[in-house]
Amino acid sequence: QGHLVESGGGLVQAGDSLRLSCVASGSILSPNVMSWHRRAPGKERELVADITYGGRTNYADSVKGRFTISRENGKKTMYLQMNSLKPEDTAVYYCSITGTSYSIWGQGTQVTVSS
């Protein structure tokens, strides 16, 4: 069973950038889809972006043009480059990896954007 660890969160000001990383360890079968989700205070968890093993990406409308998802399959690592951050991006960000018969989630990393 694989394991995911997120890093890179923090406290920034509106307009700043952050890069989140998600590193997988253990047995991770391919093909799979890696995703970033977030949960803001008092809100439901939402999909931010996902990327297939082959590199096809998908973004929530709220982050298109500001966030970029990428992955390095050889390193079992996924990234989320977040630019032009807004206070409404404040949330706990979770990474996940989903395959044919499994779904693994990380513990989350806090991103706080002050105005």
PDB file of all heavy atoms in Angstrom, residues 3-7 20-25 33-38 45-49 69 76-80 92-98 103-109:
ATOM      1  N   HIS A   3       1.776   5.451   0.114  1.00  0.00           N
ATOM      2  CA  HIS A   3       1.644   6.513   1.106  1.00  0.00           C
ATOM      3  C   HIS A   3       1.966   7.825   0.425  1.00  0.00           C
ATOM      4  O   HIS A   3       2.870   7.874  -0.414  1.00  0.00           O
ATOM      5  CB  HIS A   3       2.624   6.240   2.251  1.00  0.00           C
ATOM      6  CG  HIS A   3       2.550   7.209   3.379  1.00  0.00           C
ATOM      7  ND1 HIS A   3       1.445   7.365   4.174  1.00  0.00           N
ATOM      8  CD2 HIS A   3       3.473   8.089   3.845  1.00  0.00           C
ATOM      9  CE1 HIS A   3       1.682   8.291   5.079  1.00  0.00           C
ATOM     10  NE2 HIS A   3       2.893   8.746   4.904  1.00  0.00           N
ATOM     11  N   LEU A   4       1.208   8.891   0.760  1.00  0.00           N
ATOM     12  CA  LEU A   4       1.429  10.209   0.153  1.00  0.00           C
ATOM     13  C   LEU A   4       1.754  11.229   1.232  1.00  0.00           C
ATOM     14  O   LEU A   4       1.114  11.243   2.289  1.00  0.00           O
ATOM     15  CB  LEU A   4       0.180  10.676  -0.599  1.00  0.00           C
ATOM     16  CG  LEU A   4      -0.304   9.824  -1.764  1.00  0.00           C
ATOM     17  CD1 LEU A   4      -1.571  10.405  -2.345  1.00  0.00           C
ATOM     18  CD2 LEU A   4       0.769   9.723  -2.834  1.00  0.00           C
ATOM     19  N   VAL A   5       2.697  12.110   0.936  1.00  0.00           N
ATOM     20  CA  VAL A   5       3.044  13.185   1.853  1.00  0.00           C
ATOM     21  C   VAL A   5       3.094  14.495   1.080  1.00  0.00           C
ATOM     22  O   VAL A   5       3.829  14.604   0.088  1.00  0.00           O
ATOM     23  CB  VAL A   5       4.399  12.939   2.538  1.00  0.00           C
ATOM     24  CG1 VAL A   5       4.763  14.127   3.423  1.00  0.00           C
ATOM     25  CG2 VAL A   5       4.360  11.664   3.355  1.00  0.00           C
ATOM     26  N   GLU A   6       2.293  15.466   1.536  1.00  0.00           N
ATOM     27  CA  GLU A   6       2.287  16.793   0.925  1.00  0.00           C
ATOM     28  C   GLU A   6       3.246  17.715   1.676  1.00  0.00           C
ATOM     29  O   GLU A   6       3.475  17.546   2.874  1.00  0.00           O
ATOM     30  CB  GLU A   6       0.894  17.446   0.974  1.00  0.00           C
ATOM     31  CG  GLU A   6      -0.220  16.664   0.333  1.00  0.00           C
ATOM     32  CD  GLU A   6      -1.021  15.860   1.324  1.00  0.00           C
ATOM     33  OE1 GLU A   6      -0.461  15.525   2.395  1.00  0.00           O
ATOM     34  OE2 GLU A   6      -2.195  15.554   1.040  1.00  0.00           O
ATOM     35  N   SER A   7       3.747  18.716   0.965  1.00  0.00           N
ATOM     36  CA  SER A   7       4.570  19.750   1.586  1.00  0.00           C
ATOM     37  C   SER A   7       4.471  21.018   0.758  1.00  0.00           C
ATOM     38  O   SER A   7       3.965  20.992  -0.369  1.00  0.00           O
ATOM     39  CB  SER A   7       6.030  19.304   1.697  1.00  0.00           C
ATOM     40  OG  SER A   7       6.580  19.090   0.412  1.00  0.00           O
ATOM     41  N   LEU A  20       3.273  23.490  -4.108  1.00  0.00           N
ATOM     42  CA  LEU A  20       3.029  22.313  -3.284  1.00  0.00           C
ATOM     43  C   LEU A  20       3.640  21.090  -3.954  1.00  0.00           C
ATOM     44  O   LEU A  20       3.664  20.996  -5.176  1.00  0.00           O
ATOM     45  CB  LEU A  20       1.531  22.092  -3.097  1.00  0.00           C
ATOM     46  CG  LEU A  20       0.715  23.254  -2.530  1.00  0.00           C
ATOM     47  CD1 LEU A  20      -0.741  22.812  -2.345  1.00  0.00           C
ATOM     48  CD2 LEU A  20       1.303  23.763  -1.238  1.00  0.00           C
ATOM     49  N   SER A  21       4.104  20.179  -3.128  1.00  0.00           N
ATOM     50  CA  SER A  21       4.635  18.915  -3.617  1.00  0.00           C
ATOM     51  C   SER A  21       3.910  17.766  -2.942  1.00  0.00           C
ATOM     52  O   SER A  21       3.472  17.878  -1.794  1.00  0.00           O
ATOM     53  CB  SER A  21       6.135  18.799  -3.319  1.00  0.00           C
ATOM     54  OG  SER A  21       6.863  19.820  -3.953  1.00  0.00           O
ATOM     55  N   CYS A  22       3.805  16.671  -3.648  1.00  0.00           N
ATOM     56  CA  CYS A  22       3.193  15.459  -3.120  1.00  0.00           C
ATOM     57  C   CYS A  22       4.071  14.296  -3.555  1.00  0.00           C
ATOM     58  O   CYS A  22       4.219  14.052  -4.751  1.00  0.00           O
ATOM     59  CB  CYS A  22       1.779  15.303  -3.671  1.00  0.00           C
ATOM     60  SG  CYS A  22       0.982  13.732  -3.281  1.00  0.00           S
ATOM     61  N   VAL A  23       4.648  13.618  -2.580  1.00  0.00           N
ATOM     62  CA  VAL A  23       5.556  12.518  -2.867  1.00  0.00           C
ATOM     63  C   VAL A  23       4.907  11.204  -2.459  1.00  0.00           C
ATOM     64  O   VAL A  23       4.429  11.067  -1.328  1.00  0.00           O
ATOM     65  CB  VAL A  23       6.893  12.698  -2.130  1.00  0.00           C
ATOM     66  CG1 VAL A  23       7.825  11.532  -2.442  1.00  0.00           C
ATOM     67  CG2 VAL A  23       7.547  14.016  -2.521  1.00  0.00           C
ATOM     68  N   ALA A  24       4.912  10.272  -3.378  1.00  0.00           N
ATOM     69  CA  ALA A  24       4.351   8.951  -3.107  1.00  0.00           C
ATOM     70  C   ALA A  24       5.470   7.983  -2.750  1.00  0.00           C
ATOM     71  O   ALA A  24       6.580   8.061  -3.285  1.00  0.00           O
ATOM     72  CB  ALA A  24       3.600   8.439  -4.330  1.00  0.00           C
ATOM     73  N   SER A  25       5.177   7.086  -1.842  1.00  0.00           N
ATOM     74  CA  SER A  25       6.128   6.042  -1.489  1.00  0.00           C
ATOM     75  C   SER A  25       5.383   4.711  -1.431  1.00  0.00           C
ATOM     76  O   SER A  25       4.160   4.668  -1.370  1.00  0.00           O
ATOM     77  CB  SER A  25       6.798   6.343  -0.141  1.00  0.00           C
ATOM     78  OG  SER A  25       5.833   6.414   0.889  1.00  0.00           O
ATOM     79  N   VAL A  33      -4.314   8.381 -11.761  1.00  0.00           N
ATOM     80  CA  VAL A  33      -4.559   9.819 -11.846  1.00  0.00           C
ATOM     81  C   VAL A  33      -4.173  10.428 -10.503  1.00  0.00           C
ATOM     82  O   VAL A  33      -4.595   9.936  -9.457  1.00  0.00           O
ATOM     83  CB  VAL A  33      -6.035  10.132 -12.151  1.00  0.00           C
ATOM     84  CG1 VAL A  33      -6.276  11.650 -12.140  1.00  0.00           C
ATOM     85  CG2 VAL A  33      -6.443   9.538 -13.491  1.00  0.00           C
ATOM     86  N   MET A  34      -3.386  11.478 -10.542  1.00  0.00           N
ATOM     87  CA  MET A  34      -3.027  12.201  -9.321  1.00  0.00           C
ATOM     88  C   MET A  34      -3.810  13.513  -9.281  1.00  0.00           C
ATOM     89  O   MET A  34      -4.005  14.148 -10.324  1.00  0.00           O
ATOM     90  CB  MET A  34      -1.522  12.466  -9.262  1.00  0.00           C
ATOM     91  CG  MET A  34      -0.693  11.205  -9.214  1.00  0.00           C
ATOM     92  SD  MET A  34       1.061  11.486  -8.869  1.00  0.00           S
ATOM     93  CE  MET A  34       1.022  11.725  -7.085  1.00  0.00           C
ATOM     94  N   SER A  35      -4.247  13.876  -8.112  1.00  0.00           N
ATOM     95  CA  SER A  35      -5.139  15.030  -7.977  1.00  0.00           C
ATOM     96  C   SER A  35      -4.763  15.880  -6.781  1.00  0.00           C
ATOM     97  O   SER A  35      -4.202  15.383  -5.800  1.00  0.00           O
ATOM     98  CB  SER A  35      -6.590  14.559  -7.788  1.00  0.00           C
ATOM     99  OG  SER A  35      -6.995  13.662  -8.790  1.00  0.00           O
ATOM    100  N   TRP A  36      -5.125  17.146  -6.876  1.00  0.00           N
ATOM    101  CA  TRP A  36      -5.104  18.059  -5.738  1.00  0.00           C
ATOM    102  C   TRP A  36      -6.544  18.446  -5.435  1.00  0.00           C
ATOM    103  O   TRP A  36      -7.299  18.836  -6.334  1.00  0.00           O
ATOM    104  CB  TRP A  36      -4.291  19.311  -6.036  1.00  0.00           C
ATOM    105  CG  TRP A  36      -2.822  19.085  -6.077  1.00  0.00           C
ATOM    106  CD1 TRP A  36      -2.029  18.961  -7.184  1.00  0.00           C
ATOM    107  CD2 TRP A  36      -1.940  18.983  -4.947  1.00  0.00           C
ATOM    108  NE1 TRP A  36      -0.722  18.772  -6.814  1.00  0.00           N
ATOM    109  CE2 TRP A  36      -0.647  18.794  -5.450  1.00  0.00           C
ATOM    110  CE3 TRP A  36      -2.126  19.038  -3.562  1.00  0.00           C
ATOM    111  CZ2 TRP A  36       0.473  18.643  -4.618  1.00  0.00           C
ATOM    112  CZ3 TRP A  36      -1.019  18.908  -2.736  1.00  0.00           C
ATOM    113  CH2 TRP A  36       0.250  18.707  -3.262  1.00  0.00           C
ATOM    114  N   HIS A  37      -6.893  18.345  -4.187  1.00  0.00           N
ATOM    115  CA  HIS A  37      -8.183  18.804  -3.701  1.00  0.00           C
ATOM    116  C   HIS A  37      -7.925  19.831  -2.604  1.00  0.00           C
ATOM    117  O   HIS A  37      -6.818  19.923  -2.071  1.00  0.00           O
ATOM    118  CB  HIS A  37      -8.996  17.654  -3.099  1.00  0.00           C
ATOM    119  CG  HIS A  37      -9.454  16.641  -4.090  1.00  0.00           C
ATOM    120  ND1 HIS A  37      -8.626  15.696  -4.642  1.00  0.00           N
ATOM    121  CD2 HIS A  37     -10.670  16.425  -4.645  1.00  0.00           C
ATOM    122  CE1 HIS A  37      -9.307  14.949  -5.484  1.00  0.00           C
ATOM    123  NE2 HIS A  37     -10.545  15.370  -5.511  1.00  0.00           N
ATOM    124  N   ARG A  38      -8.948  20.562  -2.230  1.00  0.00           N
ATOM    125  CA  ARG A  38      -8.822  21.480  -1.101  1.00  0.00           C
ATOM    126  C   ARG A  38     -10.145  21.565  -0.354  1.00  0.00           C
ATOM    127  O   ARG A  38     -11.217  21.360  -0.923  1.00  0.00           O
ATOM    128  CB  ARG A  38      -8.377  22.874  -1.552  1.00  0.00           C
ATOM    129  CG  ARG A  38      -9.392  23.642  -2.404  1.00  0.00           C
ATOM    130  CD  ARG A  38      -8.773  24.934  -2.906  1.00  0.00           C
ATOM    131  NE  ARG A  38      -9.717  25.704  -3.717  1.00  0.00           N
ATOM    132  CZ  ARG A  38      -9.395  26.799  -4.389  1.00  0.00           C
ATOM    133  NH1 ARG A  38      -8.138  27.264  -4.359  1.00  0.00           N
ATOM    134  NH2 ARG A  38     -10.303  27.444  -5.083  1.00  0.00           N
ATOM    135  N   ARG A  45     -15.124  19.743   0.412  1.00  0.00           N
ATOM    136  CA  ARG A  45     -13.882  19.518  -0.322  1.00  0.00           C
ATOM    137  C   ARG A  45     -14.156  19.644  -1.821  1.00  0.00           C
ATOM    138  O   ARG A  45     -15.197  19.181  -2.307  1.00  0.00           O
ATOM    139  CB  ARG A  45     -13.334  18.134  -0.010  1.00  0.00           C
ATOM    140  CG  ARG A  45     -11.955  17.858  -0.591  1.00  0.00           C
ATOM    141  CD  ARG A  45     -11.478  16.482  -0.173  1.00  0.00           C
ATOM    142  NE  ARG A  45     -12.311  15.446  -0.753  1.00  0.00           N
ATOM    143  CZ  ARG A  45     -12.363  14.188  -0.302  1.00  0.00           C
ATOM    144  NH1 ARG A  45     -11.633  13.849   0.747  1.00  0.00           N
ATOM    145  NH2 ARG A  45     -13.132  13.299  -0.888  1.00  0.00           N
ATOM    146  N   GLU A  46     -13.224  20.252  -2.544  1.00  0.00           N
ATOM    147  CA  GLU A  46     -13.402  20.418  -3.983  1.00  0.00           C
ATOM    148  C   GLU A  46     -12.138  20.015  -4.731  1.00  0.00           C
ATOM    149  O   GLU A  46     -11.019  20.131  -4.209  1.00  0.00           O
ATOM    150  CB  GLU A  46     -13.751  21.870  -4.330  1.00  0.00           C
ATOM    151  CG  GLU A  46     -12.669  22.876  -3.996  1.00  0.00           C
ATOM    152  CD  GLU A  46     -12.996  24.278  -4.498  1.00  0.00           C
ATOM    153  OE1 GLU A  46     -13.945  24.444  -5.273  1.00  0.00           O
ATOM    154  OE2 GLU A  46     -12.269  25.207  -4.100  1.00  0.00           O
ATOM    155  N   LEU A  47     -12.340  19.567  -5.953  1.00  0.00           N
ATOM    156  CA  LEU A  47     -11.211  19.231  -6.813  1.00  0.00           C
ATOM    157  C   LEU A  47     -10.586  20.520  -7.323  1.00  0.00           C
ATOM    158  O   LEU A  47     -11.278  21.398  -7.822  1.00  0.00           O
ATOM    159  CB  LEU A  47     -11.671  18.380  -7.993  1.00  0.00           C
ATOM    160  CG  LEU A  47     -10.617  18.061  -9.044  1.00  0.00           C
ATOM    161  CD1 LEU A  47      -9.545  17.132  -8.478  1.00  0.00           C
ATOM    162  CD2 LEU A  47     -11.258  17.434 -10.273  1.00  0.00           C
ATOM    163  N   VAL A  48      -9.272  20.618  -7.202  1.00  0.00           N
ATOM    164  CA  VAL A  48      -8.538  21.767  -7.712  1.00  0.00           C
ATOM    165  C   VAL A  48      -7.998  21.461  -9.115  1.00  0.00           C
ATOM    166  O   VAL A  48      -8.177  22.240 -10.038  1.00  0.00           O
ATOM    167  CB  VAL A  48      -7.375  22.129  -6.774  1.00  0.00           C
ATOM    168  CG1 VAL A  48      -6.535  23.256  -7.364  1.00  0.00           C
ATOM    169  CG2 VAL A  48      -7.899  22.508  -5.395  1.00  0.00           C
ATOM    170  N   ALA A  49      -7.333  20.319  -9.242  1.00  0.00           N
ATOM    171  CA  ALA A  49      -6.753  19.933 -10.519  1.00  0.00           C
ATOM    172  C   ALA A  49      -6.381  18.464 -10.462  1.00  0.00           C
ATOM    173  O   ALA A  49      -6.144  17.921  -9.377  1.00  0.00           O
ATOM    174  CB  ALA A  49      -5.510  20.768 -10.836  1.00  0.00           C
ATOM    175  N   ILE A  69      -0.609  22.158 -12.574  1.00  0.00           N
ATOM    176  CA  ILE A  69      -0.321  20.845 -12.002  1.00  0.00           C
ATOM    177  C   ILE A  69       0.677  20.129 -12.903  1.00  0.00           C
ATOM    178  O   ILE A  69       0.635  20.268 -14.126  1.00  0.00           O
ATOM    179  CB  ILE A  69      -1.627  20.015 -11.844  1.00  0.00           C
ATOM    180  CG1 ILE A  69      -1.378  18.760 -11.031  1.00  0.00           C
ATOM    181  CG2 ILE A  69      -2.250  19.699 -13.196  1.00  0.00           C
ATOM    182  CD1 ILE A  69      -2.667  18.004 -10.670  1.00  0.00           C
ATOM    183  N   LYS A  76       7.799   9.687  -8.643  1.00  0.00           N
ATOM    184  CA  LYS A  76       6.514   9.497  -7.955  1.00  0.00           C
ATOM    185  C   LYS A  76       6.135  10.771  -7.209  1.00  0.00           C
ATOM    186  O   LYS A  76       5.722  10.741  -6.040  1.00  0.00           O
ATOM    187  CB  LYS A  76       6.562   8.295  -7.025  1.00  0.00           C
ATOM    188  CG  LYS A  76       6.674   6.958  -7.777  1.00  0.00           C
ATOM    189  CD  LYS A  76       6.400   5.748  -6.896  1.00  0.00           C
ATOM    190  CE  LYS A  76       7.513   5.460  -5.965  1.00  0.00           C
ATOM    191  NZ  LYS A  76       7.331   4.171  -5.243  1.00  0.00           N
ATOM    192  N   THR A  77       6.240  11.883  -7.898  1.00  0.00           N
ATOM    193  CA  THR A  77       5.996  13.189  -7.298  1.00  0.00           C
ATOM    194  C   THR A  77       5.066  14.017  -8.175  1.00  0.00           C
ATOM    195  O   THR A  77       5.159  13.982  -9.398  1.00  0.00           O
ATOM    196  CB  THR A  77       7.319  13.946  -7.098  1.00  0.00           C
ATOM    197  OG1 THR A  77       8.188  13.170  -6.263  1.00  0.00           O
ATOM    198  CG2 THR A  77       7.093  15.301  -6.451  1.00  0.00           C
ATOM    199  N   MET A  78       4.205  14.764  -7.501  1.00  0.00           N
ATOM    200  CA  MET A  78       3.290  15.677  -8.183  1.00  0.00           C
ATOM    201  C   MET A  78       3.468  17.065  -7.578  1.00  0.00           C
ATOM    202  O   MET A  78       3.793  17.190  -6.391  1.00  0.00           O
ATOM    203  CB  MET A  78       1.844  15.212  -7.995  1.00  0.00           C
ATOM    204  CG  MET A  78       0.799  16.163  -8.546  1.00  0.00           C
ATOM    205  SD  MET A  78      -0.880  15.527  -8.363  1.00  0.00           S
ATOM    206  CE  MET A  78      -1.060  15.464  -6.589  1.00  0.00           C
ATOM    207  N   TYR A  79       3.243  18.074  -8.397  1.00  0.00           N
ATOM    208  CA  TYR A  79       3.391  19.447  -7.941  1.00  0.00           C
ATOM    209  C   TYR A  79       2.135  20.255  -8.258  1.00  0.00           C
ATOM    210  O   TYR A  79       1.381  19.929  -9.167  1.00  0.00           O
ATOM    211  CB  TYR A  79       4.580  20.125  -8.643  1.00  0.00           C
ATOM    212  CG  TYR A  79       5.874  19.371  -8.523  1.00  0.00           C
ATOM    213  CD1 TYR A  79       6.303  18.535  -9.556  1.00  0.00           C
ATOM    214  CD2 TYR A  79       6.663  19.484  -7.384  1.00  0.00           C
ATOM    215  CE1 TYR A  79       7.486  17.824  -9.450  1.00  0.00           C
ATOM    216  CE2 TYR A  79       7.853  18.782  -7.274  1.00  0.00           C
ATOM    217  CZ  TYR A  79       8.254  17.959  -8.311  1.00  0.00           C
ATOM    218  OH  TYR A  79       9.429  17.262  -8.201  1.00  0.00           O
ATOM    219  N   LEU A  80       1.961  21.322  -7.511  1.00  0.00           N
ATOM    220  CA  LEU A  80       0.934  22.315  -7.826  1.00  0.00           C
ATOM    221  C   LEU A  80       1.567  23.679  -7.669  1.00  0.00           C
ATOM    222  O   LEU A  80       1.834  24.123  -6.547  1.00  0.00           O
ATOM    223  CB  LEU A  80      -0.288  22.195  -6.917  1.00  0.00           C
ATOM    224  CG  LEU A  80      -1.453  23.115  -7.288  1.00  0.00           C
ATOM    225  CD1 LEU A  80      -2.058  22.675  -8.628  1.00  0.00           C
ATOM    226  CD2 LEU A  80      -2.518  23.103  -6.202  1.00  0.00           C
ATOM    227  N   VAL A  92      -7.049  23.744   3.311  1.00  0.00           N
ATOM    228  CA  VAL A  92      -6.127  22.615   3.436  1.00  0.00           C
ATOM    229  C   VAL A  92      -6.115  21.914   2.081  1.00  0.00           C
ATOM    230  O   VAL A  92      -7.174  21.588   1.543  1.00  0.00           O
ATOM    231  CB  VAL A  92      -6.555  21.644   4.543  1.00  0.00           C
ATOM    232  CG1 VAL A  92      -5.589  20.463   4.613  1.00  0.00           C
ATOM    233  CG2 VAL A  92      -6.609  22.367   5.883  1.00  0.00           C
ATOM    234  N   TYR A  93      -4.933  21.712   1.559  1.00  0.00           N
ATOM    235  CA  TYR A  93      -4.769  21.090   0.251  1.00  0.00           C
ATOM    236  C   TYR A  93      -4.336  19.636   0.435  1.00  0.00           C
ATOM    237  O   TYR A  93      -3.372  19.351   1.152  1.00  0.00           O
ATOM    238  CB  TYR A  93      -3.748  21.852  -0.587  1.00  0.00           C
ATOM    239  CG  TYR A  93      -4.301  23.147  -1.134  1.00  0.00           C
ATOM    240  CD1 TYR A  93      -4.557  24.227  -0.292  1.00  0.00           C
ATOM    241  CD2 TYR A  93      -4.588  23.292  -2.493  1.00  0.00           C
ATOM    242  CE1 TYR A  93      -5.088  25.413  -0.786  1.00  0.00           C
ATOM    243  CE2 TYR A  93      -5.112  24.472  -2.995  1.00  0.00           C
ATOM    244  CZ  TYR A  93      -5.362  25.526  -2.134  1.00  0.00           C
ATOM    245  OH  TYR A  93      -5.887  26.704  -2.628  1.00  0.00           O
ATOM    246  N   TYR A  94      -5.052  18.756  -0.245  1.00  0.00           N
ATOM    247  CA  TYR A  94      -4.789  17.325  -0.156  1.00  0.00           C
ATOM    248  C   TYR A  94      -4.399  16.787  -1.528  1.00  0.00           C
ATOM    249  O   TYR A  94      -4.992  17.168  -2.534  1.00  0.00           O
ATOM    250  CB  TYR A  94      -6.038  16.573   0.293  1.00  0.00           C
ATOM    251  CG  TYR A  94      -6.575  16.980   1.635  1.00  0.00           C
ATOM    252  CD1 TYR A  94      -7.503  18.011   1.729  1.00  0.00           C
ATOM    253  CD2 TYR A  94      -6.175  16.322   2.795  1.00  0.00           C
ATOM    254  CE1 TYR A  94      -8.020  18.391   2.962  1.00  0.00           C
ATOM    255  CE2 TYR A  94      -6.680  16.703   4.027  1.00  0.00           C
ATOM    256  CZ  TYR A  94      -7.604  17.729   4.107  1.00  0.00           C
ATOM    257  OH  TYR A  94      -8.104  18.100   5.325  1.00  0.00           O
ATOM    258  N   CYS A  95      -3.439  15.876  -1.545  1.00  0.00           N
ATOM    259  CA  CYS A  95      -3.169  15.174  -2.787  1.00  0.00           C
ATOM    260  C   CYS A  95      -3.739  13.774  -2.688  1.00  0.00           C
ATOM    261  O   CYS A  95      -3.901  13.222  -1.597  1.00  0.00           O
ATOM    262  CB  CYS A  95      -1.682  15.155  -3.111  1.00  0.00           C
ATOM    263  SG  CYS A  95      -0.649  14.148  -2.040  1.00  0.00           S
ATOM    264  N   SER A  96      -4.044  13.232  -3.845  1.00  0.00           N
ATOM    265  CA  SER A  96      -4.543  11.865  -3.906  1.00  0.00           C
ATOM    266  C   SER A  96      -4.043  11.211  -5.170  1.00  0.00           C
ATOM    267  O   SER A  96      -3.653  11.876  -6.133  1.00  0.00           O
ATOM    268  CB  SER A  96      -6.078  11.837  -3.868  1.00  0.00           C
ATOM    269  OG  SER A  96      -6.613  12.339  -5.075  1.00  0.00           O
ATOM    270  N   ILE A  97      -4.037   9.892  -5.153  1.00  0.00           N
ATOM    271  CA  ILE A  97      -3.682   9.116  -6.332  1.00  0.00           C
ATOM    272  C   ILE A  97      -4.688   7.984  -6.442  1.00  0.00           C
ATOM    273  O   ILE A  97      -4.963   7.283  -5.462  1.00  0.00           O
ATOM    274  CB  ILE A  97      -2.226   8.612  -6.266  1.00  0.00           C
ATOM    275  CG1 ILE A  97      -1.852   7.883  -7.532  1.00  0.00           C
ATOM    276  CG2 ILE A  97      -1.976   7.766  -5.031  1.00  0.00           C
ATOM    277  CD1 ILE A  97      -0.341   7.661  -7.670  1.00  0.00           C
ATOM    278  N   THR A  98      -5.264   7.858  -7.618  1.00  0.00           N
ATOM    279  CA  THR A  98      -6.329   6.887  -7.837  1.00  0.00           C
ATOM    280  C   THR A  98      -5.965   5.984  -9.007  1.00  0.00           C
ATOM    281  O   THR A  98      -5.632   6.461 -10.094  1.00  0.00           O
ATOM    282  CB  THR A  98      -7.654   7.596  -8.139  1.00  0.00           C
ATOM    283  OG1 THR A  98      -7.985   8.458  -7.048  1.00  0.00           O
ATOM    284  CG2 THR A  98      -8.773   6.592  -8.345  1.00  0.00           C
ATOM    285  N   SER A 103      -7.342   4.029  -4.003  1.00  0.00           N
ATOM    286  CA  SER A 103      -7.343   5.485  -3.894  1.00  0.00           C
ATOM    287  C   SER A 103      -6.631   5.824  -2.596  1.00  0.00           C
ATOM    288  O   SER A 103      -7.016   5.344  -1.528  1.00  0.00           O
ATOM    289  CB  SER A 103      -8.771   6.034  -3.876  1.00  0.00           C
ATOM    290  OG  SER A 103      -8.756   7.449  -3.805  1.00  0.00           O
ATOM    291  N   ILE A 104      -5.592   6.608  -2.700  1.00  0.00           N
ATOM    292  CA  ILE A 104      -4.763   6.947  -1.544  1.00  0.00           C
ATOM    293  C   ILE A 104      -4.760   8.454  -1.372  1.00  0.00           C
ATOM    294  O   ILE A 104      -4.644   9.194  -2.353  1.00  0.00           O
ATOM    295  CB  ILE A 104      -3.322   6.437  -1.746  1.00  0.00           C
ATOM    296  CG1 ILE A 104      -3.322   4.937  -2.022  1.00  0.00           C
ATOM    297  CG2 ILE A 104      -2.469   6.738  -0.511  1.00  0.00           C
ATOM    298  CD1 ILE A 104      -1.991   4.416  -2.529  1.00  0.00           C
ATOM    299  N   TRP A 105      -4.857   8.894  -0.109  1.00  0.00           N
ATOM    300  CA  TRP A 105      -4.886  10.318   0.187  1.00  0.00           C
ATOM    301  C   TRP A 105      -3.765  10.692   1.154  1.00  0.00           C
ATOM    302  O   TRP A 105      -3.399   9.905   2.025  1.00  0.00           O
ATOM    303  CB  TRP A 105      -6.222  10.691   0.828  1.00  0.00           C
ATOM    304  CG  TRP A 105      -7.358  10.648  -0.130  1.00  0.00           C
ATOM    305  CD1 TRP A 105      -8.009   9.546  -0.575  1.00  0.00           C
ATOM    306  CD2 TRP A 105      -7.952  11.758  -0.787  1.00  0.00           C
ATOM    307  NE1 TRP A 105      -8.984   9.896  -1.474  1.00  0.00           N
ATOM    308  CE2 TRP A 105      -8.983  11.260  -1.617  1.00  0.00           C
ATOM    309  CE3 TRP A 105      -7.748  13.140  -0.754  1.00  0.00           C
ATOM    310  CZ2 TRP A 105      -9.787  12.082  -2.406  1.00  0.00           C
ATOM    311  CZ3 TRP A 105      -8.552  13.965  -1.533  1.00  0.00           C
ATOM    312  CH2 TRP A 105      -9.551  13.437  -2.349  1.00  0.00           C
ATOM    313  N   GLY A 106      -3.281  11.914   0.998  1.00  0.00           N
ATOM    314  CA  GLY A 106      -2.322  12.446   1.945  1.00  0.00           C
ATOM    315  C   GLY A 106      -3.037  13.098   3.116  1.00  0.00           C
ATOM    316  O   GLY A 106      -4.259  13.153   3.165  1.00  0.00           O
ATOM    317  N   GLN A 107      -2.237  13.605   4.070  1.00  0.00           N
ATOM    318  CA  GLN A 107      -2.785  14.200   5.279  1.00  0.00           C
ATOM    319  C   GLN A 107      -3.142  15.669   5.107  1.00  0.00           C
ATOM    320  O   GLN A 107      -3.860  16.234   5.938  1.00  0.00           O
ATOM    321  CB  GLN A 107      -1.786  14.049   6.427  1.00  0.00           C
ATOM    322  CG  GLN A 107      -1.575  12.617   6.852  1.00  0.00           C
ATOM    323  CD  GLN A 107      -2.844  11.990   7.355  1.00  0.00           C
ATOM    324  OE1 GLN A 107      -3.495  12.479   8.272  1.00  0.00           O
ATOM    325  NE2 GLN A 107      -3.246  10.868   6.738  1.00  0.00           N
ATOM    326  N   GLY A 108      -2.644  16.292   4.062  1.00  0.00           N
ATOM    327  CA  GLY A 108      -2.987  17.681   3.784  1.00  0.00           C
ATOM    328  C   GLY A 108      -1.930  18.661   4.226  1.00  0.00           C
ATOM    329  O   GLY A 108      -1.141  18.380   5.140  1.00  0.00           O
ATOM    330  N   THR A 109      -1.905  19.810   3.562  1.00  0.00           N
ATOM    331  CA  THR A 109      -1.012  20.902   3.933  1.00  0.00           C
ATOM    332  C   THR A 109      -1.800  22.201   3.885  1.00  0.00           C
ATOM    333  O   THR A 109      -2.578  22.430   2.955  1.00  0.00           O
ATOM    334  CB  THR A 109       0.223  20.947   3.000  1.00  0.00           C
ATOM    335  OG1 THR A 109       1.138  21.945   3.453  1.00  0.00           O
ATOM    336  CG2 THR A 109      -0.151  21.240   1.553  1.00  0.00           C
TER     337      THR A 109
END
